[in-house]
Amino acid sequence: MTKGSISSSGDAASLPGDDVAPTFDHHDPNKVNERHAIYDHLLSKCPVAHSERQGGFWVITGHPEIERIARDTTSFSNRYTSVPKAYFKDNEIHPPINLDPPEHTVFRRLLLPEFTAAKAALQEPLLRSHCVSVLDRVAGQTEFDASSAYSRSIPVHATCRLLGLPPEDEETFVGWIHTLVEVGANEPKQAAQAAKDMTTYLEHQVEAHRQEERDDLIALLVNAEIDGAPISHDLLIGCLILMVFGGIDTTWSALNSALWHLGTHPEDRDRLVAAPELIPTAIEELLRFYAPAVLGRVVTRDTEFDGAQMKEGDSILLCYPAANRDPRAFEEPERVVIDRVNNRHFTFGASVHRCIGSSLARLELRVGIEEWLRRYPLFELVDANDLELSTGPIWGPRKLRVNVGQHAVEPVATA
Amino acid sequence: MRVEIGEGECQGHGRCVDLAPDVFEYDELGYGVVGLPDGIPDHLVSVVDVAILNCPARAIRWIPDSDEQTPAASVQGPQEQGDVHGQV
C-alpha cells in the first residue's frame, strides 16, 4: 500500500487481466484495498461482467448499464439485494427495499413523510450538540481513532432518534453492528448471536411502542395499515433491521471516507475550513468517489442484456461505486474535485429504490464534518498507509488514527 | 422558458432543491416540484441547467416555448453525453 492508495486511479497493469471479472468478490478481504482499481479495470474491459465467486453473479460497473438495470424493475427484482442472496437470514424480507412495485410503492409511500429533508432538518440541532459532546469526550487527546471515538456515533445517534430507541442503548447498538459487520464474516456464530439479540431487542421496542403513544418511526409502523391490515410482525421487524443496517454502517463508512480524504489531502481540508459553505458540494463529490454500497438484484426472467445471457434467478451486483468512476459519465472520474459541479452519482441508487435516508445521511455528513473541522481544522491522519477497510457490501475505512495535537480549537465554555 | 419534472420520474434525491432552491421545492413525500411553473427568469437558467445535469433520475427538462429559442446550454440528448463534464 502506498499513501493515498484508496484514492488512486486504477492500475490495471498490476491486476491479472482475465481473472479480474471471474474472481471479483466484494467479500474477499484480500482484495478490498484494490477495489477501485478493479472497478476501473472492469469499466474499461467489461461493464457487464460475470464472477464465479459467491455461487456466481453478474458484476455491473457501467453508469448507463446500472441505470438501465435499476430502472427495469420488471426484469430485475429487489427480492434479494445481497450477493449471495441469503445474507442475514434465509427468506427474510426487509421492506421496502426487498419489495418490487406495486407493493414497494405502497410501503415506501408510508415511510416517505418521515424521511423528507424537512424532517431531517428537525434533527440538526440535536445532532450538532451530539457531535460537540462526543468531541468533548476526547478533548485534550492528541492522537485517537476518530472512527470509534467520533464518526461511528453520529449515524447511531441519528438512527436511534429516528426510530425512537432510547439514547442509552446506543452503545449496545454499536456492539451489534461491530459484531455483525466487522467480526461477522470470520465469526459466524458471534454474528448469528448478535443478529438474534438485535431482533429480540427490536421486538421488545415494538412491544413498548404498542403500550404507549409515541411519535417516531416505530410508532408509525406499529400503527400503520396496508390494505386495511396492520403490518405483519415479520415485515415490521424486517423493516426495522433494514433501517438499522441501511442507516448506520453506510453513513459511518461515508463519513470515515470523507475524514480520511480530508486528513490525507490538506489542500482540500484547508479549502473547506476557509469556505465551509463549500461543504455540501464537497460531500457530493466525496460521496461519489468513496461511495460505500453495492446492492444486488435478481433476474426475474431469462434476459439478454448487452450480450450477456442472464437466466431467471441469477444474482446481479450493481456496483454503484464503479458507476461513479465511469468516464462516460464523469470528467476525470479518478480525481476528487471537491467543487465538482456536474455530479450525477449513483451513491444513493438510480431507481425507485433511492436510499430513503439520503436526506438524513447528507445532514449527518454535513454536521459531522462541520463540527469536526471547526474543532480540528488542521487534523491529519497519523499514517495514511495504516488503512483498514471493511469487507462486504459496505466499503469504507474502519480506523482513522488522527493527530489533532497542537491544532484543536476547543469550544468556548458556555454557562 | 419553463422547466418540468417528468410525471412519475422523480426518485426524490432532492438534488434540484439543493442546487436550485429558488426554482424547485419538495412535495409532502419528498419528491421534487417546480415552484415556478409559469417560467424561469433568465438569472435562474444556469442553476436549472446544473440541477438537470445532477438529477440521478434524469427527470428534469426544459419545455421550450414554441416561439422562443432554446438556450444553448439546455440542448441535450437523453444521455447528455459530453455535457456532464463541467467543473468550477
Side-chain angles (χ1 to χ4, degrees), chain A residues 135-153:
Chain A
L135 288 175
D136 286 345
R137 278 188 233 153
V138 289
Q141 295 185 39
T142 52
E143 275 190 30
F144 57 90
D145 175 21
S147 175
S148 55
Y150 181 64
S151 56
R152 185 168 61 188
S153 80

Side-chain angles (χ1 to χ4, degrees), chain A residues 24-85:
Chain A
F24 180 87
D25 186 354
H26 49 301
H27 291 284
D28 184 347
N30 298 316
K31 291 192 180 162
V32 69
N33 284 355
E34 49 186 331
R35 187 75 70 83
H36 284 176
I38 292 172
Y39 285 148
D40 289 345
H41 180 85
L42 292 174
L43 274 168
S44 68
K45 303 279 186 206
C46 43
V48 177
H50 193 268
S51 168
E52 308 297 328
R53 298 291 169 87
Q54 303 292 344
F57 61 102
W58 298 97
V59 185
I60 317 297
T61 48
H63 192 274
E65 289 80 9
I66 283 184
E67 185 172 10
R68 278 158 56 208
I69 291 178
R71 284 170 172 234
D72 184 354
T73 56
T74 308
S75 307
F76 308 105
S77 168
N78 265 58
R79 175 62 187 84
Y80 295 99
T81 45
S82 60
V83 176
K85 290 176 189 168

Side-chain angles (χ1 to χ4, degrees), chain A residues 314-382:
Chain A
D314 280 1
S315 280
I316 295 180
L317 192 69
L318 301 181
C319 300
Y320 299 117
N324 289 352
R325 305 173 67 81
D326 191 334
R328 291 173 292 173
F330 302 93
E331 185 183 337
E332 295 188 283
E334 73 289 352
R335 279 185 63 214
V336 173
V337 181
I338 59 167
D339 55 2
R340 189 182 289 270
V341 171
N342 296 331
N343 194 350
R344 181 180 278 132
H345 68 73
F346 285 163
T347 302
F348 291 113
S351 73
V352 292
H353 292 280
R354 185 264 309 172
C355 169
I356 200 166
S358 60
S359 289
L360 185 55
R362 286 183 163 112
L363 175 77
E364 292 171 44
L365 286 162
R366 178 171 60 76
V367 172
I369 291 170
E370 283 171 355
E371 292 306 320
W372 177 266
L373 287 180
R374 202 193 306 279
R375 184 81 59 110
Y376 302 125
L378 294 173
F379 85 102
E380 30 187 43
L381 264 282
V382 172

Side-chain angles (χ1 to χ4, degrees), chain A residues 63 67 71 109 112-113 116-117 284 329-331 337 339-346 349-351 354 362, chain B residues 11-13 15 26 28-31 50 52-58 79-81 83-88:
Chain A
H63 192 274
E67 185 172 10
R71 284 170 172 234
R109 205 185 157 84
L112 278 172
T116 59
E284 294 307 315
F330 302 93
E331 185 183 337
V337 181
D339 55 2
R340 189 182 289 270
V341 171
N342 296 331
N343 194 350
R344 181 180 278 132
H345 68 73
F346 285 163
S351 73
R354 185 264 309 172
R362 286 183 163 112
Chain B
Q11 298 164 2
H13 291 265
R15 300 297 294 130
Y26 289 113
E28 71 284 0
L29 294 178
Y31 291 111
V50 172
I52 288 172
L53 289 171
N54 276 269
C55 174
R58 300 182 199 271
Q79 297 291 314
E80 292 132 4
Q81 295 262 337
D83 273 336
V84 293
H85 299 322
Q87 291 166 10
V88 175

